[in-house]
Amino acid sequence: MRRRRAGGRTMVERASKFVLVVAGSACFMLILYQYAGPGLSLGAPGGRAPPDDLDLFPTPDPHYEKKYYFPVRELERSLRFDMKGDDVIVFLHIQKTGGTTFGRHLVQNVRLEVPCDCRPGQKKCTCYRPNRRETWLFSRFSTGWSCGLHADWTELTNCVPGVLDRRDPAGLRSPRKFYYITLLRDPVSRYLSEWRHVQRGATWKTSLHMCDGRTPTPEELPPCYEGTDWSGCTLQEFMDCPYNLANNRQVRMLADLSLVGCYNLSFIPESKRAQLLLESAKKNLRGMAFFGLTEFQRKTQYLFERTFNLKFIRPFMQYNSTRAGGVEVDEDTIRHIEELNDLDMQLYDYAKDLFQQRYQYKRQLERREQRLRNREERLLHRSKEALPREDTEEPGRVPTEDYMSHIIEKW
Protein backbone atom coordinates (compact mmCIF):
# COMPACT_ATOMS: atom_id res chain seq x y z
CA MET A 1 0.00 0.00 0.00
CA ARG A 2 2.83 2.40 0.85
CA ARG A 3 4.43 1.75 -2.52
CA ARG A 4 1.14 2.48 -4.28
CA ARG A 5 0.70 5.70 -2.29
CA ALA A 6 4.27 6.71 -2.92
CA GLY A 7 3.82 5.94 -6.59
CA GLY A 8 0.57 7.93 -6.65
CA ARG A 9 2.24 10.94 -5.04
CA THR A 10 5.04 10.72 -7.60
CA MET A 11 2.55 10.75 -10.47
CA VAL A 12 0.70 13.75 -8.97
CA GLU A 13 3.95 15.64 -8.47
CA ARG A 14 4.99 14.94 -12.05
CA ALA A 15 1.62 16.05 -13.36
CA SER A 16 1.80 19.23 -11.25
CA LYS A 17 5.29 20.01 -12.53
CA PHE A 18 4.13 19.43 -16.11
CA VAL A 19 1.21 21.83 -15.64
CA LEU A 20 3.51 24.45 -14.12
CA VAL A 21 5.95 24.11 -17.02
CA VAL A 22 3.14 24.51 -19.58
CA ALA A 23 1.67 27.49 -17.72
CA GLY A 24 5.09 29.11 -17.41
CA SER A 25 5.78 28.59 -21.11
CA ALA A 26 2.41 30.14 -22.01
CA CYS A 27 3.11 33.18 -19.82
CA PHE A 28 6.56 33.54 -21.37
CA MET A 29 5.09 33.42 -24.89
CA LEU A 30 2.47 36.04 -23.97
CA ILE A 31 5.13 38.38 -22.59
CA LEU A 32 7.29 37.80 -25.64
CA TYR A 33 4.37 38.57 -27.95
CA GLN A 34 3.66 41.83 -26.12
CA TYR A 35 7.16 43.03 -26.97
CA ALA A 36 7.73 41.44 -30.38
CA GLY A 37 4.18 40.88 -31.65
CA PRO A 38 3.27 44.44 -32.65
CA GLY A 39 6.27 44.60 -34.94
CA LEU A 40 5.38 41.38 -36.74
CA SER A 41 2.96 40.76 -39.55
CA LEU A 42 1.70 37.27 -38.83
CA GLY A 43 -0.21 37.17 -42.07
CA ALA A 44 2.87 37.54 -44.21
CA PRO A 45 4.99 34.49 -45.04
CA GLY A 46 7.91 34.16 -42.67
CA GLY A 47 6.41 36.68 -40.19
CA ARG A 48 8.01 39.64 -41.96
CA ALA A 49 6.43 43.08 -41.72
CA PRO A 50 5.09 44.45 -45.02
CA PRO A 51 7.48 46.92 -46.65
CA ASP A 52 5.42 50.07 -46.23
CA ASP A 53 5.36 53.15 -43.99
CA LEU A 54 1.85 52.90 -42.55
CA ASP A 55 3.12 52.81 -38.97
CA LEU A 56 4.69 56.26 -39.40
CA PHE A 57 1.23 57.81 -39.25
CA PRO A 58 -1.36 57.94 -36.46
CA THR A 59 -4.01 55.24 -36.20
CA PRO A 60 -7.52 56.56 -36.94
CA ASP A 61 -9.59 57.04 -33.81
CA PRO A 62 -12.21 54.22 -33.82
CA HIS A 63 -14.40 56.26 -31.42
CA TYR A 64 -14.50 59.35 -33.64
CA GLU A 65 -18.12 60.41 -34.13
CA LYS A 66 -18.98 61.89 -37.52
CA LYS A 67 -20.89 65.16 -37.44
CA TYR A 68 -21.55 65.64 -41.15
CA TYR A 69 -22.40 63.30 -43.99
CA PHE A 70 -19.97 63.30 -46.92
CA PRO A 71 -20.40 61.01 -49.94
CA VAL A 72 -17.49 58.84 -51.03
CA ARG A 73 -16.66 61.21 -53.89
CA GLU A 74 -15.87 63.89 -51.26
CA LEU A 75 -13.64 61.51 -49.29
CA GLU A 76 -11.73 60.01 -52.19
CA ARG A 77 -8.83 62.28 -53.11
CA SER A 78 -6.47 60.29 -55.33
CA LEU A 79 -5.63 62.63 -58.20
CA ARG A 80 -3.60 61.90 -61.28
CA PHE A 81 -1.31 64.87 -60.86
CA ASP A 82 0.80 65.04 -64.01
CA MET A 83 3.94 67.03 -63.29
CA LYS A 84 5.23 66.44 -66.82
CA GLY A 85 1.95 67.67 -68.29
CA ASP A 86 0.13 70.92 -67.61
CA ASP A 87 -1.02 70.43 -63.99
CA VAL A 88 -0.25 73.16 -61.44
CA ILE A 89 -0.55 73.12 -57.63
CA VAL A 90 -1.76 76.50 -56.29
CA PHE A 91 -1.18 77.13 -52.58
CA LEU A 92 -3.64 79.53 -50.94
CA HIS A 93 -1.67 80.79 -47.94
CA ILE A 94 -3.87 82.08 -45.10
CA GLN A 95 -2.00 84.12 -42.49
CA LYS A 96 -0.86 82.36 -39.28
CA THR A 97 -1.93 78.85 -40.25
CA GLY A 98 1.55 77.36 -40.54
CA GLY A 99 1.63 78.13 -44.24
CA THR A 100 5.25 79.31 -44.23
CA THR A 101 6.46 75.96 -42.90
CA PHE A 102 4.24 74.04 -45.31
CA GLY A 103 5.35 76.23 -48.20
CA ARG A 104 8.99 75.38 -47.44
CA HIS A 105 8.06 71.68 -47.39
CA LEU A 106 6.74 72.03 -50.93
CA VAL A 107 9.97 73.49 -52.36
CA GLN A 108 12.57 71.78 -50.16
CA ASN A 109 11.14 68.52 -48.84
CA VAL A 110 9.35 66.79 -51.72
CA ARG A 111 11.13 63.88 -53.39
CA LEU A 112 11.20 64.96 -57.04
CA GLU A 113 12.81 63.77 -60.24
CA VAL A 114 14.09 67.33 -60.68
CA PRO A 115 14.20 69.03 -57.23
CA CYS A 116 13.39 72.71 -56.84
CA ASP A 117 16.47 74.91 -57.16
CA CYS A 118 16.68 76.85 -53.86
CA ARG A 119 19.79 79.01 -53.64
CA PRO A 120 21.08 80.66 -50.45
CA GLY A 121 20.06 84.28 -50.07
CA GLN A 122 17.14 84.02 -52.49
CA LYS A 123 13.53 84.07 -51.25
CA LYS A 124 12.17 82.10 -54.19
CA CYS A 125 13.04 78.70 -55.61
CA THR A 126 12.82 77.54 -59.21
CA CYS A 127 10.49 74.55 -59.50
CA TYR A 128 10.57 73.34 -63.09
CA ARG A 129 8.89 70.30 -64.56
CA PRO A 130 11.19 67.34 -65.28
CA ASN A 131 10.73 67.69 -69.05
CA ARG A 132 10.74 71.47 -69.57
CA ARG A 133 11.47 74.82 -67.99
CA GLU A 134 7.96 75.52 -66.74
CA THR A 135 6.73 75.75 -63.16
CA TRP A 136 4.40 73.17 -61.62
CA LEU A 137 3.91 75.07 -58.32
CA PHE A 138 2.31 78.47 -57.68
CA SER A 139 3.25 79.56 -54.17
CA ARG A 140 5.07 82.18 -52.15
CA PHE A 141 8.40 80.34 -52.33
CA SER A 142 8.19 79.46 -56.04
CA THR A 143 6.45 82.29 -57.90
CA GLY A 144 6.34 84.85 -55.08
CA TRP A 145 3.28 86.97 -54.29
CA SER A 146 2.42 87.24 -58.00
CA CYS A 147 -1.29 87.84 -57.29
CA GLY A 148 -0.74 90.07 -54.27
CA LEU A 149 0.33 89.52 -50.69
CA HIS A 150 -1.64 86.59 -49.21
CA ALA A 151 -4.06 86.53 -52.11
CA ASP A 152 -7.41 84.89 -51.30
CA TRP A 153 -9.57 82.47 -53.31
CA THR A 154 -11.32 85.30 -55.18
CA GLU A 155 -8.00 86.82 -56.23
CA LEU A 156 -6.17 83.60 -57.08
CA THR A 157 -8.87 82.07 -59.25
CA ASN A 158 -9.01 85.25 -61.34
CA CYS A 159 -5.28 85.95 -61.40
CA VAL A 160 -3.27 82.71 -61.57
CA PRO A 161 -4.09 81.67 -65.17
CA GLY A 162 -3.03 85.04 -66.58
CA VAL A 163 0.17 85.20 -64.52
CA LEU A 164 1.29 81.74 -65.68
CA ASP A 165 0.41 82.53 -69.29
CA ARG A 166 2.75 85.52 -69.13
CA ARG A 167 5.49 83.55 -67.35
CA ASP A 168 5.30 80.42 -69.52
CA PRO A 169 3.88 81.26 -72.97
CA ALA A 170 4.65 77.71 -74.11
CA GLY A 171 1.96 76.49 -71.72
CA LEU A 172 -0.69 78.02 -74.00
CA ARG A 173 -0.53 74.90 -76.16
CA SER A 174 -3.09 73.17 -73.91
CA PRO A 175 -5.21 74.38 -70.98
CA ARG A 176 -3.68 73.99 -67.56
CA LYS A 177 -5.36 72.12 -64.74
CA PHE A 178 -5.13 73.89 -61.38
CA TYR A 179 -5.16 72.03 -58.05
CA TYR A 180 -5.85 74.42 -55.16
CA ILE A 181 -4.60 73.56 -51.69
CA THR A 182 -4.60 75.36 -48.32
CA LEU A 183 -4.14 74.97 -44.57
CA LEU A 184 -6.62 75.80 -41.80
CA ARG A 185 -6.04 76.35 -38.09
CA ASP A 186 -8.07 76.49 -34.89
CA PRO A 187 -9.65 79.98 -35.09
CA VAL A 188 -8.81 81.10 -31.53
CA SER A 189 -5.15 80.06 -31.84
CA ARG A 190 -4.87 81.62 -35.27
CA TYR A 191 -6.46 84.89 -34.06
CA LEU A 192 -4.10 85.17 -31.07
CA SER A 193 -1.13 84.39 -33.28
CA GLU A 194 -2.11 87.15 -35.72
CA TRP A 195 -2.52 89.64 -32.84
CA ARG A 196 0.99 88.83 -31.58
CA HIS A 197 2.32 89.18 -35.12
CA VAL A 198 0.70 92.59 -35.56
CA GLN A 199 1.79 93.64 -32.07
CA ARG A 200 5.40 93.09 -33.13
CA GLY A 201 4.93 95.53 -36.03
CA ALA A 202 3.89 93.30 -38.91
CA THR A 203 1.36 94.58 -41.44
CA TRP A 204 -0.19 93.37 -44.68
CA LYS A 205 -0.76 96.86 -46.07
CA THR A 206 0.41 95.80 -49.52
CA SER A 207 -2.35 93.23 -49.87
CA LEU A 208 -4.53 94.11 -52.86
CA HIS A 209 -7.90 92.58 -51.85
CA MET A 210 -8.80 92.65 -55.53
CA CYS A 211 -12.44 91.76 -56.24
CA ASP A 212 -14.53 92.24 -59.36
CA GLY A 213 -11.66 94.05 -61.01
CA ARG A 214 -11.01 96.68 -58.32
CA THR A 215 -9.59 97.17 -54.85
CA PRO A 216 -11.81 98.26 -51.92
CA THR A 217 -12.22 101.96 -51.21
CA PRO A 218 -11.05 103.45 -47.87
CA GLU A 219 -14.71 103.73 -46.89
CA GLU A 220 -15.29 100.03 -47.58
CA LEU A 221 -12.14 98.94 -45.75
CA PRO A 222 -11.05 101.55 -43.17
CA PRO A 223 -7.74 101.02 -41.35
CA CYS A 224 -7.67 99.98 -37.68
CA TYR A 225 -4.74 102.22 -36.81
CA GLU A 226 -2.96 105.44 -37.75
CA GLY A 227 0.66 105.54 -38.74
CA THR A 228 2.95 102.96 -40.29
CA ASP A 229 1.90 99.95 -38.20
CA TRP A 230 -0.08 98.80 -35.17
CA SER A 231 2.85 97.72 -33.05
CA GLY A 232 2.24 97.53 -29.32
CA CYS A 233 -1.54 97.21 -29.62
CA THR A 234 -3.27 95.38 -26.79
CA LEU A 235 -5.51 92.38 -27.36
CA GLN A 236 -8.51 94.47 -26.35
CA GLU A 237 -7.67 97.12 -28.96
CA PHE A 238 -7.19 94.39 -31.54
CA MET A 239 -10.63 92.93 -30.77
CA ASP A 240 -12.38 96.31 -30.63
CA CYS A 241 -11.70 97.30 -34.26
CA PRO A 242 -14.84 96.42 -36.27
CA TYR A 243 -12.88 96.51 -39.57
CA ASN A 244 -10.19 94.07 -38.44
CA LEU A 245 -9.67 91.54 -41.25
CA ALA A 246 -8.43 89.05 -38.65
CA ASN A 247 -12.08 88.44 -37.77
CA ASN A 248 -13.32 85.38 -39.72
CA ARG A 249 -10.25 85.61 -41.93
CA GLN A 250 -10.36 81.96 -43.00
CA VAL A 251 -13.96 82.16 -44.25
CA ARG A 252 -13.34 85.45 -46.07
CA MET A 253 -10.22 84.13 -47.80
CA LEU A 254 -11.89 80.89 -48.94
CA ALA A 255 -15.24 82.33 -50.07
CA ASP A 256 -16.17 83.85 -53.42
CA LEU A 257 -16.46 87.50 -52.39
CA SER A 258 -18.21 88.40 -55.66
CA LEU A 259 -21.35 86.75 -54.28
CA VAL A 260 -21.67 89.36 -51.53
CA GLY A 261 -20.57 92.51 -53.34
CA CYS A 262 -16.91 92.16 -52.32
CA TYR A 263 -16.17 94.59 -49.46
CA ASN A 264 -19.33 96.66 -49.87
CA LEU A 265 -21.16 95.84 -46.62
CA SER A 266 -24.33 97.59 -47.79
CA PHE A 267 -24.72 95.28 -50.78
CA ILE A 268 -26.86 92.74 -48.87
CA PRO A 269 -28.04 92.43 -45.23
CA GLU A 270 -25.35 91.32 -42.76
CA SER A 271 -27.08 88.05 -41.77
CA LYS A 272 -27.49 86.97 -45.39
CA ARG A 273 -23.94 88.06 -46.19
CA ALA A 274 -22.54 85.91 -43.38
CA GLN A 275 -24.51 82.85 -44.47
CA LEU A 276 -23.47 83.23 -48.11
CA LEU A 277 -19.81 83.62 -47.15
CA LEU A 278 -19.86 80.52 -44.94
CA GLU A 279 -21.59 78.31 -47.51
CA SER A 280 -19.27 79.54 -50.26
CA ALA A 281 -16.19 78.83 -48.12
CA LYS A 282 -17.43 75.30 -47.38
CA LYS A 283 -18.13 74.65 -51.04
CA ASN A 284 -14.71 75.90 -52.17
CA LEU A 285 -12.97 73.95 -49.42
CA ARG A 286 -14.70 70.72 -50.49
CA GLY A 287 -13.76 71.40 -54.10
CA MET A 288 -10.07 71.92 -53.35
CA ALA A 289 -7.72 69.12 -54.23
CA PHE A 290 -6.36 69.09 -50.70
CA PHE A 291 -6.44 70.94 -47.41
CA GLY A 292 -4.60 70.25 -44.17
CA LEU A 293 -4.97 71.22 -40.53
CA THR A 294 -2.17 72.84 -38.55
CA GLU A 295 -3.09 70.81 -35.47
CA PHE A 296 -2.58 67.48 -37.34
CA GLN A 297 0.77 67.64 -39.10
CA ARG A 298 1.34 63.91 -39.68
CA LYS A 299 -2.18 63.39 -40.98
CA THR A 300 -1.73 66.43 -43.23
CA GLN A 301 1.46 64.90 -44.64
CA TYR A 302 -0.26 61.54 -45.14
CA LEU A 303 -3.24 62.97 -47.04
CA PHE A 304 -1.07 65.20 -49.24
CA GLU A 305 1.18 62.29 -50.21
CA ARG A 306 -1.79 60.05 -51.05
CA THR A 307 -3.62 62.81 -52.91
CA PHE A 308 -0.81 63.82 -55.26
CA ASN A 309 1.23 60.60 -55.20
CA LEU A 310 4.25 62.58 -54.00
CA LYS A 311 6.50 61.70 -51.07
CA PHE A 312 8.19 64.00 -48.56
CA ILE A 313 11.80 63.32 -47.68
CA ARG A 314 11.49 64.17 -43.98
CA PRO A 315 8.36 63.70 -41.85
CA PHE A 316 6.36 66.68 -40.65
CA MET A 317 6.86 67.74 -37.04
CA GLN A 318 4.06 68.71 -34.67
CA TYR A 319 4.99 71.83 -32.71
CA ASN A 320 2.48 72.34 -29.92
CA SER A 321 4.38 75.25 -28.41
CA THR A 322 3.67 78.33 -30.57
CA ARG A 323 3.54 82.04 -29.89
CA ALA A 324 -0.23 81.80 -29.56
CA GLY A 325 0.19 78.96 -27.07
CA GLY A 326 2.18 81.24 -24.79
CA VAL A 327 -0.63 83.80 -24.52
CA GLU A 328 -2.60 83.57 -21.28
CA VAL A 329 -6.22 84.65 -21.73
CA ASP A 330 -9.24 84.13 -19.50
CA GLU A 331 -12.42 82.28 -20.45
CA ASP A 332 -14.38 85.47 -21.12
CA THR A 333 -11.76 86.64 -23.61
CA ILE A 334 -11.76 83.27 -25.36
CA ARG A 335 -15.55 83.39 -25.67
CA HIS A 336 -15.32 86.91 -27.10
CA ILE A 337 -12.76 85.77 -29.69
CA GLU A 338 -15.03 82.87 -30.63
CA GLU A 339 -17.93 85.29 -31.10
CA LEU A 340 -15.82 87.56 -33.30
CA ASN A 341 -14.83 84.50 -35.34
CA ASP A 342 -18.15 82.68 -35.33
CA LEU A 343 -18.01 81.95 -39.06
CA ASP A 344 -14.46 80.63 -38.75
CA MET A 345 -15.52 78.44 -35.81
CA GLN A 346 -18.28 76.88 -37.91
CA LEU A 347 -15.98 76.42 -40.91
CA TYR A 348 -13.25 74.81 -38.82
CA ASP A 349 -15.72 72.40 -37.21
CA TYR A 350 -16.90 71.42 -40.69
CA ALA A 351 -13.36 71.17 -42.09
CA LYS A 352 -12.08 69.12 -39.16
CA ASP A 353 -14.85 66.56 -39.63
CA LEU A 354 -14.20 66.30 -43.37
CA PHE A 355 -10.46 66.02 -42.73
CA GLN A 356 -10.87 63.20 -40.18
CA GLN A 357 -13.28 61.31 -42.40
CA ARG A 358 -10.91 61.54 -45.35
CA TYR A 359 -8.07 60.27 -43.22
CA GLN A 360 -10.10 57.37 -41.83
CA TYR A 361 -11.39 56.45 -45.27
CA LYS A 362 -7.91 56.42 -46.81
CA ARG A 363 -6.33 54.44 -43.97
CA GLN A 364 -9.10 51.84 -43.97
CA LEU A 365 -8.81 51.53 -47.75
CA GLU A 366 -5.05 50.98 -47.55
CA ARG A 367 -5.37 48.43 -44.75
CA ARG A 368 -8.00 46.52 -46.70
CA GLU A 369 -5.67 46.46 -49.71
CA GLN A 370 -2.82 45.31 -47.48
CA ARG A 371 -4.91 42.46 -46.07
CA LEU A 372 -5.81 41.37 -49.61
CA ARG A 373 -2.13 41.41 -50.60
CA ASN A 374 -1.22 39.38 -47.50
CA ARG A 375 -3.98 36.89 -48.31
CA GLU A 376 -2.77 36.51 -51.89
CA GLU A 377 0.79 35.98 -50.67
CA ARG A 378 -0.37 33.28 -48.22
CA LEU A 379 -2.36 31.50 -50.93
CA LEU A 380 0.58 31.66 -53.31
CA HIS A 381 2.91 30.37 -50.59
CA ARG A 382 0.57 27.47 -49.79
CA SER A 383 0.06 26.58 -53.45
CA LYS A 384 3.83 26.37 -53.93
CA GLU A 385 4.13 24.08 -50.91
CA ALA A 386 1.30 21.86 -52.19
CA LEU A 387 2.92 21.25 -55.59
CA PRO A 388 4.41 17.68 -55.87
CA ARG A 389 8.16 17.73 -55.96
CA GLU A 390 9.72 15.75 -58.79
CA ASP A 391 12.16 13.11 -57.58
CA THR A 392 15.33 13.84 -59.45
CA GLU A 393 18.08 11.25 -59.41
CA GLU A 394 21.56 12.47 -58.83
CA PRO A 395 23.75 11.81 -61.83
CA GLY A 396 26.16 8.96 -61.29
CA ARG A 397 29.64 9.87 -60.23
CA VAL A 398 32.14 9.56 -63.01
CA PRO A 399 35.16 7.52 -61.86
CA THR A 400 38.42 9.36 -61.91
CA GLU A 401 41.29 8.28 -64.06
CA ASP A 402 43.32 6.91 -61.12
CA TYR A 403 40.41 4.85 -59.92
CA MET A 404 39.80 3.35 -63.37
CA SER A 405 43.47 2.44 -63.84
CA HIS A 406 43.48 0.80 -60.41
CA ILE A 407 40.52 -1.41 -61.38
CA ILE A 408 42.14 -2.40 -64.70
CA GLU A 409 45.38 -3.37 -62.95
CA LYS A 410 43.54 -5.59 -60.49
CA TRP A 411 41.56 -7.14 -63.31
Side-chain angles (χ1 to χ4, degrees):
M1 290 294 290
R2 290 180 179 176
R3 290 180 179 176
R4 289 180 181 176
R5 289 177 181 174
R9 284 196 300 270
T10 304
M11 292 295 292
V12 172
E13 291 174 357
R14 290 178 179 175
S16 300
K17 290 180 179 178
F18 177 75
V19 172
L20 289 173
V21 170
V22 172
S25 301
C27 291
F28 175 76
M29 294 300 294
L30 285 173
I31 295 172
L32 180 63
Y33 177 75
Q34 291 294 326
Y35 283 95
L40 299 176
S41 176
L42 300 180
R48 294 187 298 271
D52 55 32
D53 57 350
L54 292 180
D55 291 334
L56 293 176
F57 301 98
T59 303
D61 183 5
H63 305 294
Y64 179 77
E65 295 183 2
K66 301 176 183 179
K67 296 182 180 180
Y68 301 91
Y69 167 76
F70 297 103
V72 174
R73 67 176 181 273
E74 299 290 354
L75 304 180
E76 178 62 48
R77 276 295 185 273
S78 296
L79 308 174
R80 294 182 178 179
F81 178 69
D82 187 7
M83 188 173 292
K84 293 183 179 180
D86 298 289
D87 296 352
V88 180
I89 294 177
V90 182
F91 179 33
L92 195 163
H93 183 174
I94 302 174
Q95 289 95 317
K96 313 315 293 179
T97 58
T100 299
T101 300
F102 185 77
R104 289 197 177 102
H105 279 305
L106 292 177
V107 297
Q108 297 177 352
N109 194 26
V110 180
R111 186 175 286 111
L112 299 170
E113 183 180 341
V114 178
C116 295
D117 184 13
C118 301
R119 300 183 180 182
Q122 294 185 357
K123 294 182 178 180
K124 294 187 294 184
C125 304
T126 302
C127 298
Y128 285 145
R129 303 182 189 275
N131 53 341
R132 61 185 186 273
R133 295 171 64 84
E134 181 182 306
T135 186
W136 58 269
L137 175 65
F138 192 98
S139 72
R140 167 188 178 182
F141 292 116
S142 58
T143 55
W145 302 114
S146 301
C147 291
L149 180 62
H150 286 285
D152 55 31
W153 189 91
T154 306
E155 293 175 291
L156 288 176
T157 53
N158 287 282
C159 168
V160 171
V163 169
L164 290 183
D165 287 346
R166 291 190 294 271
R167 286 174 56 95
D168 305 311
L172 295 173
R173 293 170 302 194
S174 59
R176 295 184 179 89
K177 190 170 185 179
F178 299 105
Y179 294 98
Y180 284 84
I181 64 175
T182 193
L183 287 184
L184 296 180
R185 186 180 180 184
D186 169 73
V188 175
S189 298
R190 198 213 64 80
Y191 189 85
L192 290 172
S193 182
E194 180 167 340
W195 163 61
R196 291 294 299 270
H197 195 60
V198 170
Q199 190 185 47
R200 294 191 300 271
T203 67
W204 293 287
K205 290 188 298 184
T206 56
S207 295
L208 299 176
H209 305 299
M210 187 71 68
C211 180
D212 284 351
R214 69 176 183 89
T215 59
T217 65
E219 291 75 25
E220 292 175 334
L221 193 59
C224 285
Y225 58 90
E226 297 179 357
T228 56
D229 57 46
W230 206 4
S231 58
C233 72
T234 65
L235 180 56
Q236 189 62 50
E237 292 171 339
F238 193 74
M239 294 188 295
D240 287 344
C241 178
Y243 313 107
N244 194 343
L245 292 179
N247 301 339
N248 295 311
R249 181 181 288 279
Q250 295 179 104
V251 166
R252 179 182 58 80
M253 293 188 67
L254 289 175
D256 183 0
L257 298 181
S258 300
L259 299 175
V260 295
C262 300
Y263 293 89
N264 182 6
L265 300 183
S266 62
F267 184 76
I268 55 175
E270 176 59 29
S271 59
K272 187 176 180 180
R273 175 186 175 89
Q275 190 62 32
L276 283 175
L277 286 174
L278 180 59
E279 293 305 319
S280 176
K282 288 180 178 180
K283 177 185 175 183
N284 292 337
L285 188 71
R286 288 195 310 271
M288 284 186 165
F290 160 84
F291 72 88
L293 299 181
T294 310
E295 289 75 18
F296 301 95
Q297 290 291 316
R298 287 295 178 89
K299 291 181 180 180
T300 295
Q301 175 188 351
Y302 176 90
L303 287 176
F304 181 90
E305 290 181 342
R306 270 63 181 180
T307 299
F308 290 100
N309 196 26
L310 295 171
K311 290 288 185 179
F312 289 101
I313 301 170
R314 298 175 302 278
F316 287 14
M317 301 299 294
Q318 185 72 54
Y319 296 104
N320 293 322
S321 58
T322 62
R323 290 189 175 94
V327 179
E328 294 184 2
V329 291
D330 53 38
E331 292 297 326
D332 292 338
T333 303
I334 292 177
R335 280 194 294 270
H336 187 39
I337 294 174
E338 290 175 347
E339 291 171 0
L340 290 172
N341 294 272
D342 179 60
L343 298 182
D344 271 12
M345 295 294 293
Q346 295 182 60
L347 175 67
Y348 186 78
D349 184 67
Y350 181 85
K352 186 177 179 181
D353 192 61
L354 176 57
F355 179 86
Q356 296 284 16
Q357 288 195 43
R358 283 181 178 175
Y359 182 76
Q360 285 189 328
Y361 174 82
K362 198 63 181 175
R363 285 300 301 269
Q364 290 170 359
L365 196 65
E366 284 198 351
R367 289 185 172 184
R368 189 181 304 123
E369 293 173 353
Q370 184 61 46
R371 285 196 297 268
L372 290 175
R373 285 195 296 268
N374 290 342
R375 182 182 177 185
E376 291 175 358
E377 289 177 2
R378 288 197 302 270
L379 292 175
L380 181 63
H381 185 68
R382 290 172 183 172
S383 63
K384 288 182 178 180
E385 290 182 343
L387 289 175
R389 297 183 180 180
E390 298 181 0
D391 295 332
T392 56
E393 297 181 357
E394 293 185 4
R397 295 179 63 183
V398 180
T400 61
E401 185 178 353
D402 293 340
Y403 180 69
M404 290 295 294
S405 60
H406 178 65
I407 292 177
I408 292 173
E409 288 177 1
K410 293 190 70 175
W411 179 260

